[in-house]
């Protein structure tokens, strides 16, 4: 789920500082030429077979058309959960639901208590989510009177024994007694290892005004995280866990979700004017009766189920296959504002799936649905669910590349959120950072639009550990800065060290090994070490666990006449943060001579001695931006001939950054 508003705000701030600095220091043309950063990497080279096949143009779909499909003949996941849900959308936007939930104990211990996430209660007064978020998310504010909630009205065993009096709310993260997003109950009979418990429940959801991924806006409804969902019971070894047990967290201002894989069979009853998009595939044609329609959807080997409904959707669909995409029906549910942009959406969806399938592995599902929310449902845009994504809201009938960027980001989530199901409560970077990294690869490969890594690194003013609970970051901006941006740059730093080919192998190996599982940061490190045949502990400790950034600096220069003529220069270099790695150092002399040396960066500091016929002019460390995670570049350059108290430290390639800033504002 992208935080583009945060990025834009940071860009504006950085651009102001950069422009002021450029006016103050007056760069020379020689300096600009010497340190202009290299052109962005070319798009990933792909075999011809990985490109989208030339299918016939996408055609508008009959609203009742059903895609032929069938359940997976072989289970791809452990299928620990099974949901059979019937839900009715009332005229006022209320959801009336019934569900039968079955949960299988995957552990080796007897389980006596069950835990349920009741996410819609995040929109109730006093919730931890509203307290932490201040009632806004990604620039969208919760409207007065727009609260939401979920109420369990019945809860019984499969045999009919009532369990509702046993339910009570728990707040393991902050003790906020007003928070009702996590509930527990003692089961009448404990669930032994390998056994299954089945519960029946009825519930009512008061949808909020669209905000933070779900709600209603006029006649548009986005149902995300809308039903009682069982928590994840982690076994020994899951993400390094030493003892088995429930993974329990409330819904926080910056956290997303974590669920087990299973089967979903869902009936959705809506007014007959509405068109429904949902996770999975439709199993039968929806027929109208008494002013209502009932849609039926099925999905297996997924860990969530989302849906949307509107009477105003323009629907377009097409079939697609390529290397890694055995066959998928892509469905667009467009707001009328974007009905003429179907080709752009379809091209982005097909191209992204083709690249992802070729790079990482098979897309295992038969459908992919894309929802374009209306302008007044901005809070529903830019979100991922299994086999279903929401694009940015249709606020402009002539959008720029934001349309494609948001969509390919959400489709990339199908891999790093949907198939590799990481714990977004505790290690969100494994989803958002990986997805942001993949987003950049997709935009470069498909559209030739590349990001400016040095500029992005300069955004990172408050680095924090990546393996951290989402709500422990200092603010929403810091969460986005680290989980999205710094997480992405950590992956780019690995790529810079091992090369693009080896990085592609790392990402593919990680996906293949942990598809339909719940890996953690340690598991990713093991894959990196397995592919590269090298140790990466220092790197992961510095950048993943301690939250450092790299900082290579020219500390001091001392130039003196040499005894036998010429000049002797003593240069002290420092590594103030990050893990050890080789770095290029450029020494530029007054006669125009340039000498490059490589410092291994193992020690915290080193003194280098140079002799030359003329004095040393300046020294620059990492002049070509090879150190991806260096965000503190004003100390990378030091001029020698200026008296010490007046030495000016300049940001390398600042003029190029100014040009990039101005271009980036068009994101």
């Amino acid at each position: 789920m992208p935080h583009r508003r945060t990025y834009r705000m940071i860009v504006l701030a950085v651009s102001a500082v950069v422009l002021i600095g450029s006016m103050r220091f007056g760069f020379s043309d020689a300096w600009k030429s010497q340190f202009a950063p290299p052109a962005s990497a070319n798009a990933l080279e792909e075999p011809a077979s990985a490109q989208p096949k030339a299918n016939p143009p996408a055609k508008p779909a009959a609203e009742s058309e059903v895609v032929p499909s069938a359940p997976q003949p072989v289970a791809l996941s452990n299928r620990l959960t099974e949901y059979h849900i019937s839900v009715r959308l009332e005229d006022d936007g209320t959801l009336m639901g019934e569900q039968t939930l079955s949960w299988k104990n995957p552990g080796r211990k007897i389980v006596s208590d069950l835990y349920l996430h009741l996410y819609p209660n995040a929109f109730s007064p006093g919730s931890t989510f509203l307290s932490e978020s201040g009632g806004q998310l990604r620039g969208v504010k919760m409207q007065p009177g727009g609260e939401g909630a979920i109420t369990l009205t019945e809860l019984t065993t499969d045999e009919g024994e009532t369990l509702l009096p046993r339910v009570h709310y728990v707040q393991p993260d902050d003790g906020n007694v007003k928070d009702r997003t996590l509930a527990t109950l003692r089961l009448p009979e404990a669930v032994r290892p390998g056994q299954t418990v089945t519960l029946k429940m009825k519930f009512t959801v008061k949808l909020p005004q669209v905000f933070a991924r779900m709600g209603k806006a006029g006649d548009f409804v986005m149902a995300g995280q809308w039903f009682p969902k069982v928590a994840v019971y982690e076994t020994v070894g899951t993400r390094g866990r030493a003892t088995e047990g429930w993974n329990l967290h409330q819904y926080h201002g910056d956290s997303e979700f974590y669920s087990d894989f299973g089967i979903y069979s869902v009936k959705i009853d809506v007014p007959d004017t509405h068109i429904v998009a949902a996770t999975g595939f439709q199993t039968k044609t929806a027929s109208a009766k008494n002013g209502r329609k009932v849609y039926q959807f099925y999905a297996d080997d997924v860990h969530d189920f989302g849906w949307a409904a509107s009477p105003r959707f323009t629907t377009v669909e097409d079939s697609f296959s390529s290397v890694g995409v055995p066959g998928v029906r892509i469905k667009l549910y467009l707001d009328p504002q974007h009905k003429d942009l179907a080709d752009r959406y379809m091209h982005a969806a097909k191209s992204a799936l083709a690249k992802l399938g070729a790079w990482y592995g098979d897309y295992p599902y038969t459908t992919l649905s894309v929802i374009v929310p209306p302008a007044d449902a901005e809070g529903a845009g830019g979100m991922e669910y299994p086999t279903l994504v929401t694009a940015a809201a249709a606020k402009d009938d002539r959008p720029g590349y934001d349309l494609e960027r948001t969509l390919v980001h959400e489709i990339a989530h199908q891999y790093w959120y949907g198939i590799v199901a990481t714990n977004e409560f505790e290690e969100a970077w494994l989803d958002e950072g990986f997805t942001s990294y993949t987003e950049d690869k997709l935009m470069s490969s498909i559209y030739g639009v590349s990001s400016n890594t040095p500029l992005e690194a300069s955004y990172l003013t408050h680095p924090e550990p990546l393996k951290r609970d989402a709500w422990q970051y200092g603010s929403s901006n810091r969460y986005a800065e680290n989980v999205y941006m710094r997480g992405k740059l950590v992956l780019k730093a690995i790529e810079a060290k091992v090369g693009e080919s080896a990085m592609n192998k790392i990402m593919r190996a990680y996906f293949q090994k942990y598809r339909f599982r719940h890996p953690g940061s340690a598991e990713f490190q093991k894959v990196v070490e397995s592919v590269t045949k090298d140790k990466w502990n220092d790197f992961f400790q510095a950048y993943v666990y301690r939250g450092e950034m790299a900082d290579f600096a020219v500390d001091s220069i001392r130039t003196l006449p040499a005894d036998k003529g010429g000049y002797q220069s003593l240069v002290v270099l420092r590594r103030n943060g990050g893990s050890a790695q080789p770095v290029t150092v450029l020494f530029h002399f007054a006669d125009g001579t340039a000498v490059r040396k490589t410092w291994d960066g193992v020690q915290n500091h080193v003194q280098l001695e140079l002799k030359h016929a003329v004095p040393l002019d300046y020294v620059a460390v990492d002049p070509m931006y090879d150190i991806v995670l260096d965000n503190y570049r004003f100390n990378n350059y030091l001029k020698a001939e200026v008296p010490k108290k007046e030495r000016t430290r300049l940001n390398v390639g600042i003029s190029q950054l100014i040009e990039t800033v101005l271009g980036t504002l068009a994101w």
Side-chain angles (χ1 to χ4, degrees):
M1 185 177 187
H3 281 64
R4 293 289 165 205
R5 287 180 180 270
T6 299
Y7 296 168
R8 287 193 182 97
M9 292 170 63
I10 300 173
V11 170
L12 288 170
V14 171
S15 63
V17 173
V18 168
L19 289 168
I20 293 170
S22 67
M23 290 185 289
R24 177 179 177 183
F25 296 122
F27 301 100
S28 67
D29 290 338
W31 169 251
K32 296 178 189 176
S33 174
Q34 184 71 53
F35 292 104
S40 299
N42 292 330
L44 290 180
E45 295 182 2
E46 291 299 326
S49 58
Q51 302 300 326
K53 291 186 178 180
N55 291 321
K59 62 181 183 298
E63 189 271 320
S64 61
E65 183 176 351
V66 177
V67 178
S69 190
Q72 290 282 356
V74 178
L76 301 177
S77 68
N78 53 17
R79 296 187 180 179
L80 296 178
T81 61
E82 184 170 345
Y83 293 85
H84 293 265
I85 309 175
S86 294
V87 60
R88 177 184 171 95
L89 172 63
E90 301 291 356
D91 292 339
D92 64 356
T94 300
L95 303 181
M96 307 295 293
E98 298 183 24
Q99 77 175 20
T100 299
L101 162 65
S102 297
W103 174 78
K104 181 179 179 180
N105 180 357
R108 297 183 177 182
K109 294 182 179 180
I110 295 174
V111 175
S112 300
D113 299 277
L114 196 74
Y115 289 83
L116 296 172
H117 290 290
L118 302 175
Y119 290 120
N121 283 334
F123 306 106
S124 298
S127 73
T128 293
F129 177 90
L130 290 181
S131 175
E132 292 179 350
S133 68
Q136 62 178 354
L137 188 69
R138 296 188 298 166
V140 179
K141 294 183 179 180
M142 186 172 181
Q143 298 300 312
E147 294 83 2
I150 183 171
T151 303
L152 283 171
T153 56
E154 290 186 23
L155 178 61
T156 68
T157 65
D158 203 23
E159 295 77 23
E161 179 184 354
T162 183
L163 301 178
L164 200 57
R166 300 179 180 227
V167 175
H168 64 279
Y169 301 102
V170 291
Q171 302 83 21
D173 298 326
D174 65 0
N176 174 14
V177 296
K178 294 183 179 180
D179 188 82
R180 298 181 293 119
T181 57
L182 184 64
T184 185
L185 69 146
R186 175 58 58 93
L187 297 168
E189 294 185 15
V191 187
R192 303 185 68 81
Q195 290 187 340
T196 299
V197 61
T198 298
L199 301 177
K200 294 183 176 181
M201 57 194 76
K202 294 183 180 180
F203 59 94
T204 301
V205 178
K206 179 182 182 294
L207 289 173
Q209 291 297 314
V210 170
F211 166 65
R213 311 176 183 95
M214 73 174 296
K216 58 184 176 64
D219 51 15
F220 171 84
V221 168
M222 183 70 229
Q225 309 303 331
W226 55 281
F227 58 95
K229 189 192 300 185
V230 67
V232 175
Y233 188 88
E234 295 184 321
T235 56
V236 173
T238 302
R239 301 184 312 107
R241 187 160 185 154
T243 59
E244 66 181 71
W246 293 101
N247 185 268
L248 301 175
H249 297 295
Q250 301 153 241
Y251 190 6
H252 291 268
D254 288 314
S255 69
E256 292 193 29
F257 313 103
Y258 182 39
S259 307
D260 266 322
F261 288 96
I263 294 171
Y264 288 82
S265 179
V266 182
K267 294 181 180 179
I268 304 171
D269 184 336
V270 297
D272 63 7
T273 55
H274 283 53
I275 298 170
V276 173
T279 290
F281 58 86
Q282 193 175 340
T283 59
K284 64 170 61 176
T285 300
S287 58
K289 183 178 180 180
N290 299 325
R292 308 286 301 183
K293 272 184 183 175
V294 178
Y295 289 76
Q296 295 190 31
F297 292 89
Y298 176 88
D300 48 27
D301 300 312
V302 298
H303 53 78
D304 199 1
F305 188 99
W307 60 276
S310 171
R312 297 186 294 152
F313 281 142
T314 295
T315 59
V316 178
E317 55 185 90
D318 202 3
S319 296
F320 175 70
S321 63
S322 69
V323 174
V325 187
V328 62
R329 191 73 172 172
I330 301 174
K331 304 180 180 182
L332 307 180
Y333 298 82
L334 304 171
D335 181 79
Q337 176 90 329
H338 279 194
K339 63 182 178 61
D340 295 330
L341 301 177
D343 287 348
R344 286 179 62 180
Y345 283 106
M346 191 63 74
H347 179 270
K350 289 180 178 180
S351 300
L353 280 180
K355 298 294 183 183
L356 293 167
W359 293 345
Y360 306 134
D362 286 357
Y363 180 76
Y365 307 114
T366 59
T367 59
L368 175 66
S369 296
V370 176
I371 298 167
V372 180
D376 58 351
E378 183 179 2
M383 188 57 193
E384 67 280 358
Y385 305 91
T387 78
L388 180 147
V389 300
T390 66
K395 301 174 68 175
D396 184 351
D397 61 0
R398 300 179 65 184
Y401 269 127
D402 267 350
L403 183 155
E404 285 82 4
R405 184 174 287 279
T406 299
L407 184 53
V408 302
H409 179 99
E410 303 310 332
I411 293 175
H413 271 304
Q414 295 300 306
Y415 277 68
W416 306 123
Y417 146 88
I419 303 171
V420 179
T422 48
N423 185 335
E424 294 182 279
F425 289 121
E426 299 178 5
E427 297 182 84
W429 85 282
L430 291 173
D431 174 32
E432 297 295 357
F434 277 57
T435 298
S436 296
Y437 169 86
T438 305
E439 169 200 323
D440 278 1
K441 294 288 188 184
L442 291 169
M443 290 301 294
S444 176
S445 182
I446 300 168
Y447 299 104
V449 177
S450 299
S451 60
N452 187 299
T453 299
L455 180 65
E456 291 179 335
S458 71
Y459 299 164
L460 302 176
T461 55
H462 296 93
E464 298 181 51
L466 294 178
K467 192 179 187 305
R468 166 168 286 187
D469 294 342
W471 55 96
Q472 292 181 348
Y473 289 97
S475 65
S476 292
N477 284 346
R478 291 191 187 182
Y479 168 81
E481 178 182 316
N482 285 275
V483 168
Y484 288 75
M485 186 72 75
R486 204 169 73 81
K488 174 183 75 174
L489 293 181
V490 165
L491 296 180
K492 288 192 173 184
I494 296 174
E495 181 178 304
K497 289 168 69 70
V498 305
E500 187 176 19
S501 176
M503 188 63 181
N504 291 343
K505 292 178 182 177
I506 288 170
M507 299 294 281
R508 185 179 181 90
Y510 177 66
F511 174 80
Q512 292 290 335
K513 184 170 185 178
Y514 291 107
R515 62 201 303 264
F516 301 106
R517 297 170 66 185
H518 301 305
S521 300
E523 283 75 21
F524 178 61
Q525 180 180 340
K526 290 176 184 177
V527 171
V528 175
E529 293 177 339
S530 175
V531 172
T532 62
K533 311 300 181 186
D534 200 359
K535 296 296 183 183
W536 285 76
N537 192 60
D538 288 347
F539 181 95
F540 275 76
Q541 286 297 322
Y543 300 124
V544 175
Y545 298 107
R546 293 199 301 269
E548 296 180 8
M549 294 293 287
D551 182 17
F552 289 86
V554 185
D555 189 67
S556 64
I557 300 174
R558 186 182 180 193
T559 299
L560 299 170
D563 292 339
K564 297 182 180 180
Y567 292 85
Q568 178 186 44
S569 297
L570 300 177
V571 179
V572 176
L573 306 175
R574 289 192 178 274
R575 176 170 60 84
N576 298 319
S579 63
Q581 68 181 99
V583 60
T584 299
V585 185
L586 174 69
F587 302 90
H588 192 275
F589 295 88
D591 61 359
T593 302
V595 176
R596 293 176 184 265
K597 293 182 178 291
T598 299
W599 172 35
D600 62 16
V602 173
Q603 302 299 321
N604 290 334
H605 69 279
V606 65
Q607 179 173 284
L608 303 178
E609 180 179 351
L610 298 93
K611 294 181 179 179
H612 199 74
V614 299
L616 186 64
D617 185 13
Y618 61 79
V619 178
V621 62
D622 188 33
M624 301 305 291
Y625 297 122
D626 295 323
I627 309 300
V628 172
L629 287 165
D630 194 337
N631 67 323
Y632 203 50
R633 291 189 175 273
F634 76 88
N635 59 9
N636 287 35
Y637 166 83
L638 188 61
K639 206 162 173 56
E641 72 277 9
V642 179
K644 183 175 181 180
K645 66 179 181 179
E646 296 178 7
R647 285 174 186 164
T648 302
R649 299 184 180 275
L650 305 178
N651 192 342
V652 180
I654 203 75
S655 61
Q656 181 69 26
L657 292 187
I658 294 171
E659 295 174 10
T660 307
V661 165
L662 298 178
T664 305
L665 296 181
W667 278 8

